[in-house]
Amino acid sequence: MVKRVFIALVMITTYSIHSQNIADHAIGLRLSESNGFWAEATYQAKLSSSTRIELDLGAQGRTSFNAVKLTGIYQWVFDIDGGLNWYVGPGIGGGLVDYDIDIDNRDDLESFGFITGNVGIEYSFDFPLLISLDFRPEIYFDEYTNDDINFNLGLSARYKFN
């Protein structure tokens, strides 16, 4: 009898730990600061009851250059309470930067790549809105940034749908 109660308790606990309320799909906007202001179109797709993938397409315009980047992140989502979750995961990305300073008529369009990690907190409302605040350290493998590492802090709002 004690053994059956213990097994039932373990199963209930395991179910409650892994039964997050992740939206099947969410699309929206992420605004971030990472070596300048970025505006990103963002999309999330549920993979399982506790994982999802996020794709972000961002643009940055400055007086000396314009840049676009695509980021893909795999995330594990953990329930805190109600609609409040935290998440973490690895990612990879790349993009193009077009410098406005033309020296010796050379091509000033360059590509860049990076790896990233992601940790954040989100709140999923009862209506189809998801807001989040996240942090992404990005390690670059090119000469796009002056530093090899950028720290990206972002605020997102997404529309949830099935």
Side-chain angles (χ1 to χ4, degrees), residues 4-126:
R4 288 183 187 167
V5 171
F6 178 75
I7 291 172
L9 183 61
V10 168
M11 290 177 65
I12 290 169
T13 303
T14 303
Y15 176 75
S16 66
I17 288 172
H18 293 294
S19 63
Q20 288 75 18
N21 187 13
I22 301 175
D24 289 340
H25 304 277
I27 192 166
L29 182 66
R30 180 177 186 269
L31 304 176
S32 67
E33 170 59 34
S34 170
N35 195 22
F37 176 78
W38 285 89
E40 300 174 71
T42 177
Y43 171 74
Q44 293 176 336
K46 180 179 178 178
L47 299 176
S48 73
S49 64
S50 62
T51 62
R52 68 179 172 215
I53 191 157
E54 180 175 327
L55 298 172
D56 299 323
L57 179 61
Q60 180 184 50
R62 297 176 118 183
T63 57
S64 59
F65 66 87
N66 295 311
V68 295
K69 73 177 179 178
L70 179 64
T71 307
I73 301 173
Y74 183 86
Q75 297 171 336
W76 291 273
V77 182
F78 304 95
D79 183 44
I80 296 174
D81 186 31
L84 187 63
N85 298 324
W86 74 278
Y87 53 92
V88 64
I92 191 168
L96 298 170
V97 59
D98 182 19
Y99 295 98
D100 290 338
I101 302 168
D102 192 15
I103 300 171
D104 299 330
N105 294 324
R106 68 179 186 164
D107 186 12
D108 58 355
L109 182 66
E110 296 181 13
S111 61
F112 61 90
F114 60 93
I115 59 172
T116 186
N118 186 222
V119 62
I121 190 165
E122 67 185 14
Y123 186 76
S124 181
F125 290 92
D126 291 337

